[in-house]
Amino acid sequence: ATVPGNLVLDAGAGTARYRALVRDLHKAYIGLDLSGEMLDIGKRIACDAGDRESQFYLADLREMPFHKE
């Protein structure tokens, strides 16, 4: 479970260049972008760094794939 305040949403993540900083701060990372190609690069970089916990979503910022709470 994610502790409130420990989740970072990177909207317009691209290649997820902020992911390493977020993970170094022990926060959960979610990258969201409209470009599948850019997200694939970010996923590959995360995987190469041993990060299997970060999440990546292909989505339009105007229609984010999350439930309202």
Side-chain angles (χ1 to χ4, degrees):
T2 301
V3 176
N6 281 345
L7 176 65
V8 174
L9 173 64
D10 186 2
T15 60
R17 68 183 205 179
Y18 296 111
R19 180 205 53 82
L21 173 64
V22 168
R23 297 297 295 152
D24 287 347
L25 294 173
H26 304 285
K27 296 188 181 288
Y29 177 88
I30 296 176
L32 180 86
D33 203 279
L34 191 56
S35 170
E37 184 176 321
M38 297 294 274
L39 285 176
D40 286 344
I41 294 169
K43 289 177 193 177
R44 187 174 65 244
I45 292 169
C47 186
D48 289 349
D51 180 355
R52 305 282 190 275
E53 296 178 13
S54 290
Q55 300 174 44
F56 299 87
Y57 294 92
L58 178 64
D60 188 321
L61 293 175
R62 296 168 290 186
E63 298 177 22
M64 294 185 19
F66 304 107
H67 298 285
K68 294 180 182 177
E69 291 185 26

